[in-house]
Structure formats: structure tokens, C-alpha cells
């Protein structure tokens, strides 16, 4: 199908630029246009780093990102700018990401005007339309961020991102700071906007429950690596990786707003000094001697004797090699 061709990101062995710590390693991920891919992991697992690499904020020191078949690193300045406009980010804390001294009309309308996407004369109508789209009363356009609730501020952040007509939105813990009831409203807004604009989301969260609500596929990250990736339904029905299984067991607690995965035995090791072999082995209830020395690769998981196919269900665990 056409949208299979229209791939966003393939990050090959990327790693974070500013620190010598390898935050993301060996991630090889295709994002299909129009899909919602959820990325789940504990804080420090590298999921935010991966998200920032996709937006172009953070160039990978190794590896490449391809957008519509072209390596982002090789784009000329104009194409690069186009890429950066196409991939917008929505942050966790809508308050600190909005300039407190700017009125909503400018927060939403300045950047598209600066990029020549809307004229000064048309700016106000453009902002009003966007405010309506995200469920904000356009008559509030001259107000400042502090005059809005947390949920409304996140809607302002969404309108600001939409104003640049993106095709991809990276949401980094975009609902984590909101009350549970407001979380559901904002998630539903994301779902509506995706339908209306054909958006692709890269939806990063520590909360598998939140991610499952919105994602077509879920990628589970552990210490900078994707350890399992599958359609959302498959993750819940047939999680393969012991870490994913532990996350699923942990879900009821997370829904009670607990942030730590504390039934998973042991601490998250430092990403700067990941364990040898399988990075999950110090915490894994199924660890075998081999797990301490040999790193498992992402491989296709079979269901009922039938291969899940190249991109359907992948997991990195030695248990899959059979005994
Ligand atoms: Fe556990 Fe070994 Fe599988 Fe790693 S490879 S998840 S340690 S069983
Ligand atoms: Mg983070």
C-alpha cells in the first residue's frame, strides 16, 4: 500500500549527541504514515531521546533518520526546514512549554506567520479556527497561559503544533501531568485530530495503559533498546518479552497513578553502564546463563506455529530460540 512506502523514521544505532551516555542504541524502527506508534519504558530508557531525534532537535551521533525515503542528514536547508515543520512535538508540561508573556493568539499564530504559512491579516481567523478544532473558545485568544487550566493549556500546545501543518506529532508524556479525567479528554482529542488530518503520532509514555488507548502498535524500550514491538492487541494478548509481561502485570498500579515499576525486581541499571548480554537479565525471572553474555536480537515471534512476519511481532529474548 501507498502509505507503507511513506515511511517516517528509521533510526539505526542512533545515540544521544550531547552526553557520552548512549541513550538509544540499535533502534531500527519504521513508522508508517498515519499510524500511532506508542513507545513505552521507564524514565531514562531513552524514549524521549528517540523522540527528540525524530523531531530533528537532537541529531543522532550514529545512525540515520529517513523521512519519506530520504536521509534527514542529507537534506538541503530548505528540505530540512520542511522536515522540521512536518514533525512537531507536544511536551509533558504545557505550562513551562508556553511563553507566559505571550497571548494565545501569538503562541499559536506567530510561528506559522514567520514561516509564511499565513499572512498577518489572516492570522487571527487562522488561530480562531485552530482553537475551535482543539476545543478552546476562540474568544479567549487574547488571554495568557496562566488564565487557562492544565487541560486547556495542553490544548493550546496542540493548536500550536497543528498550526504548522505537521504530518507527524511526537507526544512526549503529553498527558502525564494532567488529571486522569482530563487525560482521557486530551487523548480523545488526539484521536479526533488524527482522523481529521491523517496525522502520524509517535506517542511516548511511561504508562502502557495510556499508550494502549491510542496506539496501533506499541514499542517497548529498555535501556535504550526496543525489546519488543507488536500491534497493541498482540502486546496485551501475547506479550513475549519478560519485561513487557512485567509491565502488563504492573498496569493496575500505574493506573492508580504510581510512576515506578516497583514490582519489577531490582533497580533500572545506569544507561551509561548497561549490563552485558541481555540488558534485562539482572531483573529477569527467566534469566539463563546465556543471558548474561549474549545480547538477544529482535526476532520475529511465531504465533501458533505461524511466523508473525517481519514487522508484525518482534521480541528480543533468548527464550524464543526454543530448547
Ligand atoms: Fe530474560 Fe534472558 Fe529473555 Fe533477557 S534474554 S529477557 S534475561 S530470558
Ligand atoms: Mg522522558
Amino acid at each position: 500500500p501507498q502509505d507503507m512506502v511513506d515511511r517516517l523514521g528509521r533510526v539505526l544505532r542512533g545515540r544521544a549527541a550531547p552526553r557520552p551516555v548512549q541513550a538509544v542504541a540499535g533502534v531500527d524502527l519504521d513508522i508508517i504514515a498515519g499510524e500511532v506508534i506508542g513507545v513505552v519504558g521507564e524514565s531514562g530508557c531513552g524514549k524521549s531521546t528517540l523522540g527528540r531525534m525524530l523531531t530533528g532537535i537532537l541529531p543522532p551521533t550514529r545512525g540515520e533518520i529517513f523521512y519519506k525515503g530520504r536521509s534527514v542528514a542529507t537534506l538541503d536547508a530548505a528540505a530540512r526546514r520542511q522536515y522540521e515543520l512536518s514533525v512537531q512535538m507536544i511536551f509533558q508540561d504545557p505550562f513551562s512549554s508556553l511563553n507566559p508573556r505571550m497571548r494565545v493568539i501569538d503562541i499559536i499564530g506567530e510561528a506559522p506567520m514567520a514561516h509564511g504559512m499565513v499572512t498577518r491579516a489572516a492570522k487571527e481567523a487562522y488561530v480562531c479556527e485552530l482553537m475551535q478544532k482543539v476545543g478552546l473558545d476562540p474568544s479567549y485568544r487574547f488571554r495568557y497561559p496562566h488564565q487557562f487550566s492544565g487541560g486547556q493549556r495542553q490544548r493550546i500546545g496542540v493548536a500550536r503544533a497543528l498550526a504548522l501543518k505537521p504530518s507527524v506529532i511526537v507526544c512526549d508524556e503529553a498527558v502525564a501531568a494532567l488529571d486522569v479525567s482530563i487525560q482521557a479528554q486530551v487523548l480523545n482529542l488526539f484521536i479526533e485530530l488524527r482522523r481529521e488530518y491523517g496525522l502520524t503520532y509517535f506517542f511516548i509514555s511511561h504508562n502502557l495503559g495510556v499508550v494502549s488507548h491510542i496506539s496501533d502498535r506499541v514499542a517497548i524500550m529498555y535501556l535504550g533498546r526496543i525489546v519488543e514491538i507488536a500491534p497493541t492487541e498482540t502486546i496485551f494478548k501475547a506479550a513475549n518479552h519478560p519485561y513487557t509481561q512485567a509491565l502488563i502485570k504492573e498496569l493496575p498500579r500505574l493506573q492508580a497513578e504510581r510512576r515506578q515499576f516497583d514490582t519489577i525486581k531490582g533497580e533500572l541499571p545506569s544507561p551509561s553502564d548497561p549490563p552485558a548480554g541481555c540488558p534485562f537479565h539482572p531483573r529477569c525471572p527467566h534469566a539463563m546463563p546465556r543471558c548474561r553474555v549474549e545480547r538477544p536480537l529482535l526476532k520475529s515471534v511465531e504465533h501458533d506455529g505461524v511466523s508473525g512476519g517481519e514487522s508484525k511481532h518482534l521480541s528480543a529474548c533468548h527464550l524464543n530460540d526454543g530448547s
Side-chain angles (χ1 to χ4, degrees):
Q2 178 56 40
D3 45 348
M4 293 286 283
V5 181
D6 210 11
R7 284 167 169 179
L8 165 74
R10 175 177 289 168
V11 185
L12 293 163
R13 292 181 189 81
R15 68 177 177 177
R19 294 174 303 150
V21 173
Q22 184 160 321
V24 179
V27 170
D28 188 353
L29 176 64
D30 284 337
I31 303 171
I32 298 157
E35 83 168 332
V36 179
I37 180 148
V39 181
V40 180
E42 285 157 287
S43 67
C45 74
K47 58 195 194 299
S48 295
T49 303
L50 183 57
R52 288 193 314 201
M53 289 195 300
L54 289 182
T55 63
I57 299 172
L58 189 64
T61 50
R62 276 198 289 155
E64 282 181 286
I65 296 173
F66 287 85
Y67 181 65
K68 297 187 174 178
R70 293 173 68 190
S71 169
V72 170
T74 66
L75 299 176
D76 62 29
R80 169 93 197 177
R81 200 186 66 151
Q82 193 48 53
Y83 170 74
E84 286 174 0
L85 287 172
S86 302
V87 185
Q88 287 297 314
M89 187 141 184
I90 294 171
F91 300 91
Q92 166 166 3
D93 183 353
F95 202 49
S96 65
S97 68
L98 301 177
N99 184 337
R101 278 180 259 238
M102 272 170 87
R103 299 171 308 170
V104 170
I105 183 170
D106 299 319
I107 289 173
I108 300 172
E110 280 298 300
M113 217 174 67
H115 290 287
M117 300 165 93
V118 65
T119 63
R120 183 171 296 279
K123 173 180 152 187
E124 191 161 348
Y126 188 65
V127 170
C128 287
E129 195 194 323
L130 283 162
M131 287 180 78
Q132 230 144 16
K133 291 275 187 219
V134 301
L136 288 168
D137 183 343
S139 69
Y140 294 170
R141 63 190 176 281
F142 299 114
R143 296 191 180 184
Y144 292 87
H146 74 268
Q147 295 172 287
F148 293 87
S149 69
Q152 287 173 324
R153 287 197 292 258
Q154 195 54 296
R155 289 173 193 269
I156 298 170
V158 173
R160 178 178 59 181
L162 279 181
L164 295 165
K165 303 189 191 333
S167 34
V168 181
I169 296 189
V170 176
C171 300
D172 190 1
E173 299 285 8
V175 298
L178 306 173
D179 291 343
V180 175
S181 61
I182 308 294
Q183 282 189 359
Q185 291 173 15
V186 174
L187 286 174
N188 287 336
L189 173 66
F190 285 133
I191 292 168
E192 281 165 33
L193 294 173
R194 171 206 191 178
R195 210 173 289 140
E196 180 160 357
Y197 294 99
L199 295 166
T200 304
Y201 292 123
F202 192 77
F203 198 91
I204 299 164
S205 176
H206 68 283
N207 187 328
L208 180 58
V210 163
V211 164
S212 67
H213 189 75
I214 191 167
S215 304
D216 303 312
R217 280 198 299 158
V218 175
I220 309 289
M221 276 186 87
Y222 190 76
L223 290 178
R225 287 172 190 271
I226 290 176
V227 296
E228 182 161 15
I229 182 163
T232 308
E233 213 193 337
T234 308
I235 288 283
F236 281 90
K237 279 195 188 150
N240 178 272
H241 198 281
Y243 178 60
T244 311
Q245 291 167 356
L247 290 184
I248 288 171
K249 244 198 265 171
E250 193 65 11
L251 256 184
R253 271 168 184 267
L254 272 174
Q255 272 153 356
E257 281 308 282
R258 298 280 317 253
R259 288 196 153 224
Q260 294 303 317
F261 298 98
D262 48 15
T263 62
I264 302 176
K265 177 172 68 100
E267 293 289 306
L268 185 68
S270 162
S272 61
D273 187 22
C278 172
F280 191 55
H281 85 254
R283 303 167 85 188
C284 181
H286 310 290
M288 310 168 274
R290 177 185 179 192
C291 302
R292 286 195 287 273
V293 289
E294 195 184 330
R295 187 182 290 283
L297 301 174
L298 270 179
K299 285 185 195 158
S300 180
V301 175
E302 296 189 3
H303 291 283
D304 303 325
V306 181
S307 164
E310 184 71 10
S311 64
K312 282 221 159 105
H313 187 181
L314 303 172
S315 176
C317 174
H318 291 313
L319 288 172
N320 294 323
D321 290 351
S323 46

